Amino acid sequence: MSNQQYGRTRRVVGAHYGTMDFIAQRLTAVILAIYSVGFLLAALFTPINYENWVGFFTFTCFGLPLGRILVTLAFFSLAWHAWVGVRDIWMDYVKPVGLRLVLFTLTLLWLVGSVAYFAAIVWSI
């Protein structure tokens, strides 16, 4: 019996395995920062009442529901940012594979449920 190896050996660690997650974290952080600054400025210079609060999320530009689109982009960015971060925490600190899978599933269900609940509220205004 020979110990001949077929194919290439694939390295499990190395360059570029986390590059897309790194880029996703930075991109979603930038989107959230821009939206947060814009929202804070709007909140500071507009009297807070129900009509203005709804106006933050329902303003339009050239017929597009720009307020809803921007808040949806910010919320999707928040969910994606949270997924990448929490998934990395589970991968780094939870060693039993079964428990890690359960935590992945619960986290994903929670995030999808949050996004669905968010969409139902914002797009029904």
Side-chain angles (χ1 to χ4, degrees):
M1 198 176 263
S2 69
N3 288 337
Q4 185 176 6
Q5 180 180 2
Y6 297 99
R8 294 185 318 147
T9 302
R10 181 181 163 135
R11 291 180 25 178
V12 180
V13 295
H16 306 294
Y17 282 98
T19 304
M20 290 308 295
D21 290 339
F22 179 85
I23 292 170
Q25 283 286 93
R26 289 350 176 240
L27 180 66
T28 56
V30 168
I31 290 170
L32 288 170
I34 291 170
Y35 184 80
S36 296
V37 168
F39 186 80
L40 181 64
L41 290 174
L44 285 175
F45 295 111
T46 306
I48 300 296
N49 57 31
Y50 180 76
E51 291 79 23
N52 290 340
W53 186 251
V54 171
F56 285 148
F57 304 107
T58 58
F59 71 90
T60 60
C61 185
F62 301 113
L64 280 172
L66 196 57
R68 290 179 180 152
I69 291 171
L70 291 176
V71 74
T72 301
L73 176 65
F75 198 82
F76 279 130
S77 295
L78 177 66
W80 191 5
H81 191 89
W83 167 247
V84 172
V86 172
R87 187 198 64 207
D88 287 350
I89 290 170
W90 296 148
M91 286 172 39
D92 288 344
Y93 296 109
V94 178
K95 297 304 176 192
V97 177
L99 178 60
R100 190 184 314 161
L101 180 62
V102 168
L103 291 172
F104 281 167
T105 305
L106 291 175
T107 302
L108 196 57
L109 288 173
W110 174 69
L111 288 171
V112 168
S114 297
V115 167
Y117 186 64
F118 159 82
I121 291 172
V122 168
W123 288 91
S124 68
I125 297 176

